[in-house]
Amino acid sequence: MKVSIKEVAKMAGCSTATVSNVINNRNKFVSESVRKKVLEAMETLNYKPNNFAQTLRKGKSNIVGFVVPDLTNYFFTELASAIQSVLSENGHQLIVMNSEYSLEKEKQYIRQSVDQYACGMIIASLAEKYSHLEDCFPDDFPAVFIDRNPLGCKKDCIAINNFQAAYEATQTLISKGHQRIGLINGTYNISTSKERLSGYVAALEEAEIAVDDRLIKHRSKDRTGHEGQRLIEELLEAGITAVFIVNNQMTIRVMQYLIDHQIEIPGQIAVIGFDDYEWSSITKPSLSVIRQPTYEMGVKAAEILLKRINSPSADFQEHYMLPSKLIQRSSI
């Protein structure tokens, strides 16, 4: 027989309203001693709250959606881990949705989350402009854009300074005597790719090095990074002496190609990649990279979202830009 909230309240020696406060993590209304009694009573009676009924009553759930373009990318899995750690501590559940580099899937997931009473979303968007997504959720729906900031974004967002990261990487290669510097960039329409391209170009122009479009390559929607091998081959044929790669999956494929073809690093070509994972420091030679504060970015995104969930109509807009760091190793 299903246990009722009244039975839990009776065993804990409190009101049903107090039990409800504990279930919904409204702990500021409940003393710690009473909270423990309620939790003990729930465990003893094997009481399971009716989450669906709660959702219908409140018009929202404790579920947060996280839309990513590629769940096989270490960057997004680390973000998900950080986000979940913060949300779970605050009584929320995370559902991760993989758009597989499809803007239509992304929009579909956003609409489904809103329709199914999600209390908020974190989105690593493929949209070039915020207007492409504006009809997917109400103006006051809590949402945080992470890593990418669509043009004209009206929601909270958090990212690194992509311009500065690319500028510093390119400037460092120039300081090593390189002028034929290749860039393997992300898909052209997203904000991170545009910002990194701008940083690369700015460093070349500052050094009075002509920008050669043949040395700039953009990835397609290939999720594996395998095309990195084709792109580095094209750049080598164009006569580069250094390359900056702005995606960790593409970096792996480029390094694999160079090692397989016995191209000496950094003797024949210097390499700077993106994201500092364990393999970066144990490759031969060890890889110079732009280190993003990935976990911290996920934590901050979750904190911003919780703030927005608690104050959905508050007149503030958070635009956080976290610093990155160039880690110089043997590949340059």
Side-chain angles (χ1 to χ4, degrees):
M1 185 175 176
K2 187 173 176 61
V3 177
S4 72
I5 193 171
K6 289 182 179 179
E7 293 171 88
V8 175
K10 183 178 180 180
M11 177 173 281
C14 64
S15 68
T16 55
T18 299
V19 175
S20 178
N21 283 333
V22 173
I23 292 171
N24 291 286
N25 291 295
R26 294 192 291 263
N27 296 322
K28 65 180 180 180
F29 301 112
V30 185
S31 69
E32 185 60 27
S33 60
V34 172
R35 179 176 174 275
K36 285 181 179 178
K37 288 180 181 179
V38 171
L39 293 175
E40 288 171 1
M42 289 171 63
E43 185 175 355
T44 301
L45 296 171
N46 195 27
Y47 174 74
K48 305 295 182 186
N50 188 333
N51 292 327
F52 180 69
Q54 292 179 58
T55 297
L56 290 178
R57 282 197 302 272
K58 295 188 294 183
K60 65 178 182 179
S61 68
N62 66 342
I63 291 172
V64 170
F66 180 32
V67 182
V68 302
D70 181 8
L71 200 50
T72 66
N73 188 323
Y74 304 130
F75 173 73
F76 295 114
T77 54
E78 187 174 358
L79 283 179
S81 176
I83 292 166
Q84 181 169 303
S85 70
V86 175
L87 294 181
S88 62
E89 288 177 0
N90 289 273
H92 290 75
Q93 299 177 46
L94 183 69
I95 295 180
V96 182
M97 294 160 276
N98 187 10
S99 69
E100 299 179 307
Y101 282 98
S102 165
L103 181 57
E104 288 308 309
K105 275 190 178 182
E106 178 183 319
K107 293 165 74 172
Q108 175 188 336
Y109 288 143
I110 293 172
R111 290 191 181 103
Q112 285 177 351
S113 298
V114 173
D115 290 345
Q116 294 171 14
Y117 301 112
C119 61
M121 295 196 75
I122 298 174
I123 306 164
S125 183
L126 295 167
E128 183 175 4
K129 299 177 181 178
Y130 180 73
S131 58
H132 296 161
L133 302 173
E134 205 161 8
D135 64 344
C136 294
F137 36 52
D139 289 342
D140 62 351
F141 182 78
V144 176
F145 283 80
I146 191 167
D147 184 49
R148 294 102 184 271
N149 184 11
L151 185 65
C153 185
K154 298 178 183 178
K155 299 289 186 181
D156 307 309
C157 62
I158 182 167
I160 67 163
N161 189 332
N162 288 290
F163 175 93
Q164 183 61 33
Y167 174 85
E168 185 178 1
T170 309
Q171 188 182 54
T172 299
L173 292 171
I174 293 170
S175 73
K176 301 284 185 181
H178 298 283
Q179 295 200 6
R180 302 284 293 171
I181 301 170
L183 173 69
I184 297 181
N185 204 6
T187 48
Y188 182 74
N189 64 310
I190 63 173
S191 62
T192 49
S193 298
K194 292 181 177 181
E195 292 160 6
R196 291 169 189 175
L197 175 60
S198 295
Y200 163 84
V201 169
L204 292 178
E205 290 179 341
E206 185 181 272
E208 298 183 345
I209 298 172
V211 177
D212 186 342
D213 289 340
R214 295 174 300 170
L215 306 188
I216 300 171
K217 303 293 181 181
H218 293 278
R219 74 177 294 181
S220 67
K221 294 180 181 179
D222 168 38
R223 293 186 295 127
T224 64
H226 278 101
E227 67 177 328
Q229 298 184 21
R230 173 180 60 81
L231 297 180
I232 189 61
E233 190 171 25
E234 292 175 3
L235 288 172
L236 288 169
E237 289 173 357
I240 64 167
T241 62
V243 63
F244 173 43
I245 312 139
V246 306
N247 171 277
N248 65 75
Q249 291 169 309
M250 301 282 275
T251 301
I252 293 172
R253 301 305 177 188
V254 167
M255 290 293 285
Q256 182 180 354
Y257 178 93
L258 296 174
I259 293 168
D260 288 349
H261 288 78
Q262 298 182 337
I263 297 171
E264 186 182 344
I265 308 168
Q268 291 174 267
I269 182 170
V271 181
I272 296 180
F274 225 90
D275 293 320
D276 192 22
Y277 295 109
E278 187 175 345
W279 60 266
S280 303
S281 60
I282 63 175
T283 56
K284 300 293 183 181
S286 57
L287 181 65
S288 301
V289 294
I290 295 292
R291 177 187 290 165
Q292 298 193 82
T294 309
Y295 197 87
E296 292 86 343
M297 196 186 303
V299 167
K300 192 65 179 177
E303 290 174 348
I304 295 170
L305 183 67
L306 290 172
K307 182 179 176 183
R308 179 62 70 181
I309 288 170
N310 293 327
S311 305
S313 58
D315 186 20
F316 66 86
Q317 188 176 11
E318 306 277 13
H319 276 208
Y320 279 91
M321 190 173 288
L322 301 181
S324 60
K325 184 177 182 180
L326 173 61
I327 307 299
Q328 297 194 43
R329 298 193 179 105
S330 304
S331 64
I332 58 173

